[in-house]
């Protein structure tokens, strides 16, 4: 019973953290499954007896209400500004004849003219800046050999440039097959038998997310990263883009391989 309560408290804390990210502007309010969270809180309520647990339950409900408030504000803001979905506009433009589209472009086109030229004072400033850079007077010392890596370094060399598009398409199809419930855990998808292959899959997966083939989010109940494939890649994201770093240390790979085994 004590273990069940401990896991239940962790779920409430994950719910609160996910909802706070929305209030802080770090996450899209519509990425939070409000109905599922309410059902989860309702299912956990019979476990609580201590005042601290009841207070945590109330905090979770208050955090969920904040997400609902953010969703309401999002809808109200766009309705008052006559917001139009960019993908609907894109579909309408695709139906316009090229000649008509060119006329529309010419009517709305207001080109700017800018003249740039290199002057003698700017060349003198550049020369002074370059000559005063630290380390120009003496060559840097040669670096010694670094520690051996467990596998190839993570970087563009993992996939040849001419093959990256085919590799992305293949990985996208694999992701859609793996996400039978609509999503799949990030580490379950990228982890392979070798560290090099895991690094390659993680590298390609980052491109799938950047190019709109899939989305990356945090499961508010379990607190784990999940991947959701899209039926077609998005050219421009609806939500605000956020940079997210996922470290891939050798020890991290070993821990996930051990979990799979």
């Amino acid at each position: 019973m004590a273990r069940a309560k401990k896991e239940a408290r962790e779920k409430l804390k994950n719910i609160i953290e996910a909802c706070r990210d929305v209030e802080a502007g770090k996450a899209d309010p519509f990425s939070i499954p409000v109905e599922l969270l309410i059902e989860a809180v309702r299912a956990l309520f019979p476990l609580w007896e201590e005042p601290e647990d009841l207070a945590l339950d109330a905090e979770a409900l208050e955090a969920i209400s904040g997400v609902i408030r953010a969703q309401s504000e999002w809808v109200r803001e766009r309705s008052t500004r006559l917001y139009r979905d960019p993908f609907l506009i894109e579909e309408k433009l695709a139906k316009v004849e090229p000649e008509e589209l060119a006329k529309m472009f010419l009517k709305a086109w207001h080109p700017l003219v800018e003249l740039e030229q290199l002057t003698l004072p700017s060349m003198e400033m550049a020369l002074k800046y370059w000559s005063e850079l630290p380390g120009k007077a003496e060559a840097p010392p040669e670096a010694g050999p670094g520690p051996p890596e467990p596998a190839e370094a993570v970087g563009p060399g993992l996939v040849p440039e001419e093959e990256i598009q085919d590799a992305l398409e293949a990985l996208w199809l694999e992701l859609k097959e793996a996400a039978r419930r609509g999503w799949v855990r990030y580490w379950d998808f990228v982890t392979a038998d070798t560290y090099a292959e895991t690094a390659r899959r993680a590298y390609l997966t980052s491109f799938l997310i950047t190019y709109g083939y899939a989305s990356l989010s945090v499961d508010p109940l379990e607190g784990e990263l999940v991947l959701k494939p899209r039926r077609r890649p998005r050219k421009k994201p609806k939500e605000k883009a956020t940079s997210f770093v996922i470290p891939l240390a050798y020890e991290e790979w070993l821990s996930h391989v051990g979990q799979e085994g």
Side-chain angles (χ1 to χ4, degrees), residues 118-132:
L118 189 62
T119 62
L120 185 58
S122 62
M123 292 182 63
E124 292 177 349
M125 291 177 59
L127 180 60
K128 181 180 179 182
Y129 168 78
W130 184 257
S131 61
E132 293 178 355

Side-chain angles (χ1 to χ4, degrees), residues 84-253:
R84 294 293 182 272
D85 192 297
F87 294 99
L88 294 178
I89 297 176
E90 182 180 354
E91 290 182 359
K92 289 184 177 180
L93 287 176
K95 298 178 182 179
V96 179
E97 295 295 332
E99 294 78 5
E100 186 66 24
L101 190 61
K103 292 179 181 179
M104 294 168 57
F105 173 75
L106 290 175
K107 289 181 180 180
W109 187 38
H110 300 286
L112 298 177
V113 178
E114 180 181 359
L115 177 63
E116 294 184 356
Q117 62 180 5
L118 189 62
T119 62
L120 185 58
S122 62
M123 292 182 63
E124 292 177 349
M125 291 177 59
L127 180 60
K128 181 180 179 182
Y129 168 78
W130 184 257
S131 61
E132 293 178 355
L133 282 177
K136 295 299 293 182
E138 55 184 9
E142 294 184 0
E149 293 292 337
E152 296 178 15
V154 179
L158 289 172
V159 184
E161 185 176 353
E162 63 274 8
E163 299 178 7
I164 192 168
Q165 185 60 41
D166 293 339
L168 286 176
E169 293 288 346
L171 193 65
W172 184 35
L173 293 176
E174 182 181 342
L175 176 60
K176 288 193 288 187
E177 293 179 0
R180 300 186 181 277
R181 292 181 291 179
W183 56 271
V184 63
R185 290 185 178 89
Y186 173 83
W187 286 111
D188 290 347
F189 181 70
V190 302
T191 302
D193 294 336
T194 64
Y195 178 76
E197 179 60 20
T198 301
R200 176 183 177 276
R201 292 176 64 85
Y203 176 69
L204 290 173
T205 301
S206 68
F207 280 98
L208 290 181
I209 299 169
T210 302
Y211 293 158
Y213 288 83
S215 64
L216 177 69
S217 59
V218 179
D219 182 359
L221 294 178
E222 303 296 336
E224 295 185 4
L225 294 173
V226 294
L227 286 168
K228 299 179 181 179
R230 294 194 173 102
R231 289 182 297 176
R232 60 176 183 175
R234 288 183 177 177
K235 295 183 179 179
K236 294 182 180 179
K238 290 183 178 180
E239 63 274 3
K240 181 181 178 182
T242 304
S243 178
F244 190 77
V245 178
I246 305 176
L248 182 59
Y250 184 65
E251 293 74 12
E252 181 77 17
W253 169 74

